Amino acid sequence: MNDFINYIDNYKWEDIREAVYSKTNADVEQALHTTRPGIHDFMALVSPAAQGYLEPMAQLSRRYTQQRFGKTVQFYVPLYLTNSCINHCIYCGFNHANDINRIILTDHQIRQEIEAIHRIGSFKHILLVTGENPRDAGVDYIENAIRLVKNDFSSISIEVQPLKQQEYTRLIDAGLNAVYCYQETYHKERYKIYHPKGMKSKFDWRLDTFDRMGKAGIHKMGLGVLIGLEDWRTDTTFMALHLRYLQKRYWQTRYSVSFPRMRPHEGEHFQPNVIMHDKELAQLIFAFRIFDHDLEIALSTRESQYFRDHMTTLVVTSLSAGSKTDPGGYAVYKAELEQFIVNDDRSPAEVLQAVTNQGYEVVWKDWDMSLQYNS
């Protein structure tokens, strides 16, 4: 059976773009009334024609979200372990060419960060984040970090360099629960422009990551594109195609999607090719909820307090809070080493209060490792 890198060759960027932009009001209304939305329904919901249907999309999203998840929001916290990176992504603060202090947290420093996180909230879901440095912060380092944190957190996710299938299996055995990997853009011809050097410049290797995760038996995988590189309506349609493919092939896996919009960062500031406004981001998130009622939808501190508070009661199932996007940012360094500048800088207590005030319950823990991981 072919992996997605072969499957995607059946679709051309310009053909998908034309299909999205040709959708009509009638297509949108049909998508809103179908019980089993397909990819053409998704295209209609992200098309310009759907801009006048935000209110019915919002109400339908709220209904589906509450049916599947109730009035709850899961909290998670990112822990950046290193900003060392061999890649030259032109939009990222960790770009190898940027003249910043490179840090790889030691075991002792990781423990200091964990203790600081415990002081700011009751987090049980942690996301371990690294730059891509296979030599100094590769799979050995990541496995060690998982073992250092697993007694403090019930769910461990990672956002690191793409790994081999057997390496994912190894990390699952160590206690890994979920992997987040953002393709950044599905536009293969332009991908190299944004990723000129380093392992991340290999489009097919990165795209195949999700199949390697699925074959390793990961419990949950997260997808996303970076909003600001290419036409978001086309890019996210490719992501929806990818999601459907993965769900059919790895049906026992849970799925999450994120929608990172480009934020200011250290080094030379790449100017986005595409500016997405709040209403467009809301449209996109509603489209994914209507497309898949069971999908977990995360919203990070890249977004503003205003936007996050409004989306909480409509569609979002997972929020970060009190996030630091620099290694050692909670306790060790307090330095300007961020991957991107946080937009919502409220404390976890303040975000908790905002969610509670809207009649929702914050879920700190909803997962326990299998007994085999606790041995």
Side-chain angles (χ1 to χ4, degrees), residues 21 45-46 48 51 54 57 227 232-233 261 274-287 307:
Y21 280 83
L45 293 171
V46 296
Q51 292 175 337
L54 281 187
M57 288 176 68
I227 306 297
W232 64 266
R233 303 177 199 275
R261 286 193 285 186
V274 177
I275 301 297
M276 172 187 266
H277 301 291
D278 282 1
K279 285 186 177 180
E280 293 173 323
L281 179 55
Q283 176 188 352
L284 173 60
I285 298 175
F286 297 152
F307 186 82

Side-chain angles (χ1 to χ4, degrees), residues 73-134:
V73 178
Q74 179 199 96
F75 271 20
Y76 73 94
V77 63
L79 172 55
Y80 279 69
L81 300 174
T82 175
N83 60 0
S84 182
C85 192
I86 63 171
N87 295 320
H88 291 248
C89 309
I90 63 177
Y91 51 78
C92 181
F94 289 177
N95 185 325
H96 184 74
N98 285 346
D99 185 18
I100 62 172
N101 188 23
R102 303 291 174 166
I103 291 169
I104 300 176
L105 295 184
T106 65
D107 288 8
H108 176 65
Q109 290 171 333
I110 292 173
R111 290 305 313 171
Q112 286 181 281
E113 291 291 284
I114 293 169
E115 290 167 7
I117 288 171
H118 286 327
R119 288 194 292 270
I120 65 172
S122 302
F123 294 102
K124 288 298 180 182
H125 289 253
I126 191 167
L127 172 65
L128 303 179
V129 186
T130 71
E132 298 192 15
N133 183 344

Side-chain angles (χ1 to χ4, degrees), residues 97-287:
N98 285 346
D99 185 18
I100 62 172
N101 188 23
R102 303 291 174 166
I103 291 169
I104 300 176
L105 295 184
T106 65
D107 288 8
H108 176 65
Q109 290 171 333
I110 292 173
R111 290 305 313 171
Q112 286 181 281
E113 291 291 284
I114 293 169
E115 290 167 7
I117 288 171
H118 286 327
R119 288 194 292 270
I120 65 172
S122 302
F123 294 102
K124 288 298 180 182
H125 289 253
I126 191 167
L127 172 65
L128 303 179
V129 186
T130 71
E132 298 192 15
N133 183 344
R135 187 188 67 181
D136 299 322
V139 67
D140 291 343
Y141 179 83
I142 297 165
E143 179 182 11
N144 179 65
I146 290 172
R147 295 192 185 281
L148 282 172
V149 308
K150 72 175 183 178
N151 290 331
D152 292 86
F153 299 92
S154 59
S155 176
I156 302 170
S157 306
I158 59 171
E159 187 181 330
V160 302
Q161 69 261 24
L163 302 172
K164 299 176 182 177
Q165 180 182 337
Q166 59 268 34
E167 291 174 328
Y168 284 122
T169 301
R170 174 179 164 187
L171 296 182
I172 292 169
D173 290 341
L176 179 64
N177 170 233
V179 181
Y180 293 82
C181 182
Y182 302 145
Q183 186 61 27
E184 315 298 11
T185 179
Y186 286 85
H187 198 316
K188 188 171 184 177
E189 288 73 24
R190 291 182 57 80
Y191 181 89
K192 187 77 172 181
I193 295 174
Y194 308 115
H195 312 94
K197 295 181 182 179
M199 277 298 293
K200 197 169 179 178
S201 66
K202 302 180 186 302
F203 180 90
D204 287 354
W205 167 253
R206 192 168 188 88
L207 191 63
D208 192 48
T209 302
F210 301 91
D211 278 290
R212 297 194 299 274
M213 289 182 215
K215 292 170 185 175
I218 193 67
H219 177 74
K220 181 170 69 176
M221 63 177 80
L223 295 79
V225 297
L226 182 59
I227 306 297
L229 298 182
E230 295 295 327
D231 176 70
W232 64 266
R233 303 177 199 275
T234 309
D235 236 340
T236 57
T237 298
F238 273 94
M239 188 167 79
L241 282 166
H242 198 177
L243 175 67
R244 274 289 188 262
Y245 160 87
L246 292 168
Q247 288 173 325
K248 290 178 180 178
R249 188 161 184 185
Y250 310 108
W251 56 270
Q252 292 177 305
T253 300
R254 292 170 60 187
Y255 295 90
S256 172
V257 291
S258 301
F259 312 95
R261 286 193 285 186
M262 204 167 291
R263 293 284 299 149
H265 57 79
E266 293 297 319
E268 293 186 19
H269 293 299
F270 171 79
Q271 295 301 313
N273 294 319
V274 177
I275 301 297
M276 172 187 266
H277 301 291
D278 282 1
K279 285 186 177 180
E280 293 173 323
L281 179 55
Q283 176 188 352
L284 173 60
I285 298 175
F286 297 152

Side-chain angles (χ1 to χ4, degrees), residues 54-67 69-73 282 285-286 289-290 297 307-317 358 360:
L54 281 187
E55 185 58 30
M57 288 176 68
Q59 295 308 315
L60 195 55
S61 295
R62 181 194 301 235
R63 176 154 64 89
Y64 289 148
T65 303
Q66 290 187 0
Q67 284 176 351
F69 298 92
K71 299 179 73 172
T72 64
V73 178
I285 298 175
F286 297 152
R289 168 58 69 232
I290 296 168
I297 295 178
F307 186 82
R308 289 187 358 132
D309 285 350
H310 277 74
M311 297 302 286
T312 297
T313 63
L314 295 174
V315 64
V316 171
T317 63
Q358 296 183 89
Y360 275 61

